[in-house]
């Protein structure tokens, strides 16, 4: 029943001190921010306080994450041009969403055909690994490992590394010269 005399919105980014985003002291129904700029990626706590003409207030807080960037992904094993000589290999690397929403999917493929042959990598912090990976499909020779990650908000980021797979013992033959 009473007229609003002010609506104040403050935000705190990543736990920093609160900054006023809106301080509207007119009851014209239009809100505009004081900053006039985008807030950027990060975790925000938004505080809303409305005050009526007799000084009564209503307030609430909302937590919001703005995340416009893909995760960062690397493969640490195997490294480029490594010689892999076992059919039970541990692949590893690192993945982070850099203070974003968080990585929601991490997968690998030995062909790059994620739609038909991806294998889920368990999420457990920055470092990831999968043991007992068998590279023997398709025989020995040059191979490529593909890994991809997403935070569910932005597209997949994909990394790959090429290496050589060789488990066969060398063959030696002798030629008799007369």
């Amino acid at each position: 029943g009473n007229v609003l005399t002010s609506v104040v919105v403050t935000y705190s980014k990543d736990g920093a001190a609160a900054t006023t985003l809106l301080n509207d002291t007119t009851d014209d129904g239009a809100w505009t921010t004081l900053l006039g700029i985008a807030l950027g990626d990060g975790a925000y706590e938004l505080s809303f306080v409305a005050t009526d003409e007799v000084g009564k207030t209503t307030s609430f807080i909302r937590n919001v994450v703005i995340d416009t960037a893909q995760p960062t992904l690397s493969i640490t094993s195997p490294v480029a041009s490594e010689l892999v000589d076992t059919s039970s290999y541990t692949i590893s690397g690192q993945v982070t969403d850099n203070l974003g929403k968080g990585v929601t999917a991490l997968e690998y493929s030995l062909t790059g055909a994620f739609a038909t042959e991806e294998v889920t990598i368990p999420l457990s912090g920055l470092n990831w690994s999968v043991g007992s990976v068998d590279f023997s499909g398709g025989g020995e020779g040059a191979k490529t490992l593909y890994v991809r990650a997403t935070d569910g908000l932005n597209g997949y980021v994909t990394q790959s590394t090429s290496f050589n797979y060789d488990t066969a013992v060398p063959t030696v033959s002798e030629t008799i010269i007369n």
Side-chain angles (χ1 to χ4, degrees):
N2 292 324
V3 176
L4 283 178
T5 57
S6 73
V7 176
V8 177
V9 180
T10 60
Y11 75 91
S12 172
K13 180 179 180 184
D14 299 323
T19 301
T20 300
L21 181 63
L22 169 76
N23 189 359
D24 188 350
T25 58
T26 62
D27 188 22
D28 60 3
W31 291 6
T32 57
T33 65
L34 295 176
L35 299 177
I37 59 171
L39 296 176
D41 286 9
Y44 293 88
E45 180 179 276
L46 299 170
S47 171
F48 298 81
V49 179
T51 305
D52 68 14
E53 64 186 350
V54 294
K56 292 185 178 183
T57 63
T58 298
S59 64
F60 60 92
I61 293 175
R62 294 292 183 261
N63 293 305
V64 176
V65 173
I66 298 175
D67 182 356
T68 62
Q70 297 172 311
T72 301
L73 173 64
S74 67
I75 300 171
T76 57
S77 184
V79 296
S81 301
E82 180 176 340
L83 180 59
V84 174
D85 62 355
T86 179
S87 61
S88 181
Y89 189 85
T90 298
I91 62 173
S92 62
Q94 294 185 327
V95 65
T96 180
D97 199 25
N98 303 306
L99 301 176
K101 176 182 173 269
V103 177
T104 58
L106 182 62
E107 305 162 332
Y108 79 89
S109 168
L110 301 178
T111 65
F114 283 100
T116 59
E117 161 309 322
E118 80 274 355
V119 178
T120 299
I121 299 171
L123 295 169
S124 61
L126 177 66
N127 297 309
W128 59 265
S129 68
V130 177
S132 302
V133 176
D134 183 2
F135 294 127
S136 65
E140 295 184 333
K143 303 277 184 175
T144 302
L145 171 68
Y146 302 87
V147 180
R148 74 178 186 173
T150 185
D151 58 11
L153 297 174
N154 302 290
Y156 279 93
V157 60
T158 304
Q159 295 291 329
S160 65
T161 186
S162 295
F163 59 96
N164 294 300
Y165 176 69
D166 182 3
T167 60
V169 296
T171 58
V172 177
S173 62
E174 179 180 345
T175 305
I176 298 176
I177 300 177
N178 290 330

